[in-house]
Amino acid sequence: MIAEVGHYALVLALALALIQATVPVVGAYVRDAALMTVARSAALAQLLFVLVSFGALTALYVTSDFSVVNVVENSHSLKPLLYKITGVWGNHEGSMLLWVSILALFGGLVAAFGANLPLSLRAHVLAVQAWIATAFYLFILITSNPFLRTLNPPLEGRDLNPVLQDIGLAVHPPMLYLGYVGFSISFSFAVAALIEGRIDAAWARWVRPWTLMAWICLTLGIAMGSYWAYYELGWGGWWFWDPVENASLMPWLSGTALLHSAVVMEKRNALKVWTILLAILTFSLSLLGTFLVRSGVLTSVHAFATDPTRGVFILLILCVFIGGSLALYAWRASALKQGGLFAPLSREGALVLNNLFLTTACATVFIGTLYPLALEVVSGDKISVGAPFFNLTFAPLFVPLMLAMPFGPLLAWKRGDIAGASQRLMAAAIAALIAMAVLWAWTSGGASLAPLAIGLAVFVIGGALSDLVERTQLFRAPFATAMRRAQGLPRATWGTVFAHAGVGVALIGIVCETTWNTEYIGALKPGGVATVGGYALRLDGLTQQQGPNFRAQIATFSVRNGNGDEIGVMTPSKRNFTARASSTTEAALLTRGFSQLYVSLGEVTADGGQSVRIYHKPLVLLIWFGPLLMAFGGLLSLSDRRLRVGAPKPAKQARGLQPAE
Amino acid sequence: MTRKQRRLTMIGGALCVLAIAAGLVLNALRDSIVFFSTPAMVSEKKIQPGTRFRLGGMVEQGSLKRGDNLAVSFTVSDGSATLPVTFKGILPDLFREGQGVVAEGAIDPAGVFKADTVLAKHDENYMPKEVADALKKQGRWQEGADGKPVIGVSDSAQPKPVVTQ
């Protein structure tokens, strides 16, 4: 019964999406306000029905209803409740349902908070949202129905892939999808603007908070996925340049560019055509990411199913939306008026530079990700493009970007004073040089690139702080005055400071982890001691334990620091999941400041030793602390009064009678 | 500067960055990509010792030997040719005899493949996609012989979750 309700609700949502996709457009064409307002109620009703559908699937999982194929294949009655719920999107069908739920959520949010949008713009935006939604409802209903029943229900399910039975599954996919799908709003706004042939600074003011929200979620989603891979896979790696990771990095890069170009558009009414293009590209890359991950062209933990019809269907959606929107762009972009002028050396110029490097870096990731697929189709050769490729292409493009980053906020709009900005960045530059010199002396003979990269990171952080010092007149005005100024600063300025500093912080973590990571790989017998990074780890013993749906083999290590004081106990384990006859490695982590000790278990050797991997990873936590700072900066910026979702202030007049614009 | 000059400056700058990026990409594609081969393709293509590539195939039954200090050796086969492999370190959770494997490294002068990475790029049937494709191409792939757990659902699109490396 519940499955049928869920299925039926999804069909109704499709019907509503079809109404929402057509009626408002007709309404805008004949300038009928009543028809245009249909978009709002349709979007809200659609959200309601999708939530019913999603709730139904969740209920099926929670009650372990093994008459539903999807539940059989991905659940187990003994699975803890948390994983029963997160298992809903731990499979292809359910994750697509989550995708459309979030799409409907964003549509609903625009409908609910877009009361101050011009009526025709809102109608168009919601209609475009509904086009996307229609395509994905059809995809789910035709190729990936999560509510399919099985004729002879088994007594027990096949359990969820053990790697996915982790708290990470509760956070990573929803965050990532909020980011991916959130960019659909800026896409819809862009397409609506092209249809209307009208775009202004107010348009940018509406688009920016939505883009920012999506960007925050995507940043957190990527960071969470990276940390999850780090502790779950047992290799201590946090980024593999895997195509699936790249699929999420590409929209992030172009989304970051979009965020910055939207600022120029809002403040200076320039870069309109470019901003529209970026909005289209960003969501196109999100769709591409969905295609790469969901179609089964890539083998990874994310590719749940490899059914060719699904791949073809998503490819079709991809072609229609990307091709259609780009064609519309080519046709209509010239109708948009060019905006304000600016000198190359200005805030606008710096933001153009930012966009240039971000999109170029994004293009290199694009090539590195798709080249192997293209080559295989063309010549049949199988190649892998891994970290070396990206280190040689992506990294060199990020260096000038980071060098230029501190200058941006210090330059004035329209015409900037580069000499003045350099002068104000003197302190940051000196700090960077000192950091480089100290590191150079300390690690003499070691990697020469690392001190340079740390210097760059210090420059970025120092630059972000310089901007703050400059604006508050700290050190020049009395302290109390500076504090008052700091309080008076717009939150968006604080957001910039935090986000930019976050980039530097992440870079420090990345460089330290990759350069000064020490490891021990070997076999230990009980009582054996391994020394890594100045810490002595003693294997105290091996024990067995029964978990809810697995058996665990646990090793206990006592850890002593250089002085011989015991600082903690680490218990890495290996879990054997009977239902799937597979095992996972549960690494143990011991955090010291921002550094971590990392222990994961291998197999038991012939002579009774336990093989282990032990890593000491200096400042590794900064890698994820950086993105957290960026997201926090984004949140601050989002809470800026000027940018509050739904801004600007609605006029106090009867809206329903306004003629459509 | 006039509007035109400004625009030219920016377009020129953009083209410069794009040219540099294109150079970087071409350079990196020449040096840092890794090809995939099965043992048969290794002898066919006469891959020189020292060239890095990814070797894929099945781990031969009974060929796995463990030495001191986590040294292991095993033989990779694709049905028509075999290649001995040595590796030092911890094998991934899903490494089994008689199952598929992908290893990255190079052949030494003695003709032994020295792997520095053994990838856990498997699905739950212990079959890496590259290996499956290569074996299918050689006509050595039998559907259903992969030990897939069978339950009461007859669905050809069974989910195949996979562990990334």
Side-chain angles (χ1 to χ4, degrees), chain A residues 350-388:
Chain A
L351 288 166
V352 168
L353 197 72
N354 148 301
N355 271 234
L356 183 60
F357 279 106
L358 280 173
T359 44
T360 316
C362 181
T364 63
V365 177
F366 183 84
I367 292 172
T369 310
L370 293 189
Y371 179 68
L373 293 174
L375 189 74
E376 197 183 331
V377 171
V378 174
S379 75
D381 277 340
K382 283 180 194 295
I383 60 164
S384 61
V385 171

Side-chain angles (χ1 to χ4, degrees), chain A residues 581-657:
Chain A
S582 60
S583 56
T584 62
T585 307
E586 300 292 311
L589 299 169
L590 184 71
T591 306
R592 308 280 295 165
F594 286 112
S595 308
Q596 280 190 327
L597 273 171
Y598 184 112
V599 183
S600 73
L601 299 183
E603 64 268 51
V604 177
T605 57
D607 53 353
Q610 171 69 48
S611 57
V612 286
R613 286 193 189 90
I614 306 174
Y615 302 96
H616 177 248
K617 295 184 171 289
L619 300 187
V620 66
L621 287 181
L622 291 185
I623 295 173
W624 304 289
F625 189 59
L628 276 181
L629 274 180
M630 289 184 226
F632 179 65
L635 271 178
L636 278 181
S637 193
L638 194 62
S639 69
D640 193 308
R641 202 176 330 148
R642 196 169 45 80
L643 271 180
R644 214 163 274 161
V645 174
K649 208 148 176 52
K652 289 256 188 282
Q653 47 181 301
R655 197 164 307 280
L657 298 173

